[in-house]
Amino acid sequence: MDIKQGIQDVLYLIITGILPLLITYGVLFLKVKIKEQEKQLENDQLVKYIDAATDAISKAVLTVNQTYVDSLKKQGKFDEAAAKTAKQMAIDKAKALITENSKKAIETLYSDFEAYLNDAIEELVRENKFTV
């Protein structure tokens, strides 16, 4: 056996031993990258749904403010009972505007849709007080 044949045999053993490992590593690497991409797409979709829900809540609060609250304030009849009614009107209107997919996205990220809705409405009302 000559040196050239010996080197070829050693290289053959190395390649046949390492190649399956490299292929396995490559496949695992691709699987991880695919999962990361799927997760990113899922997160992007959740963000879109939550943005849509936030927009719906904002529209509901602004609509109730313009059609109900402003009218009562001009008449001097906006009291605590009217505030509760206005909040319930905003909740009902927001629920009507929020899609089922947006609701599921909120439940996925925040667990409690009702709590998220109440908190978002309270925050928007508070922001509205400071900007008006």
Side-chain angles (χ1 to χ4, degrees):
M1 178 158 61
D2 66 335
I3 295 178
K4 188 175 182 180
Q5 183 63 36
I7 291 173
Q8 286 178 343
D9 290 343
V10 169
L11 287 175
Y12 176 78
L13 289 174
I14 291 173
I15 290 173
T16 57
I18 292 177
L19 192 58
L21 291 174
L22 290 175
I23 291 172
T24 302
Y25 175 76
V27 169
L28 289 174
F29 179 77
L30 288 175
K31 284 182 179 180
V32 167
K33 287 297 179 186
I34 289 170
K35 286 288 185 193
E36 287 175 1
Q37 289 296 320
E38 288 174 350
K39 188 70 173 169
Q40 184 62 39
L41 288 174
E42 182 181 321
N43 287 342
D44 289 346
Q45 197 64 26
L46 288 176
V47 168
K48 287 179 186 177
Y49 286 135
I50 290 176
D51 286 346
T54 302
D55 186 49
I57 294 167
S58 180
K59 286 178 182 174
V61 169
L62 290 174
T63 300
V64 169
N65 193 45
Q66 289 176 343
T67 61
Y68 180 72
V69 174
D70 286 349
S71 173
L72 289 179
K73 283 184 176 180
K74 286 179 185 175
Q75 298 172 19
K77 296 180 180 178
F78 190 75
D79 57 7
E80 192 173 324
K84 287 181 182 179
T85 301
K87 182 177 180 182
Q88 190 57 51
M89 289 172 68
I91 288 171
D92 294 342
K93 186 166 278 304
K95 283 182 178 179
L97 294 173
I98 294 172
T99 66
E100 195 61 33
N101 286 335
S102 289
K103 183 178 178 183
K104 288 178 185 175
I106 290 168
E107 289 171 345
T108 297
L109 291 178
Y110 301 105
S111 305
D112 189 348
F113 173 74
E114 295 293 330
Y116 177 85
L117 183 59
N118 280 308
D119 291 348
I121 287 173
E122 289 292 333
E123 181 180 337
L124 287 168
V125 168
R126 194 171 26 259
E127 286 177 11
N128 200 20
K129 283 181 184 179
F130 290 122
T131 58
V132 173

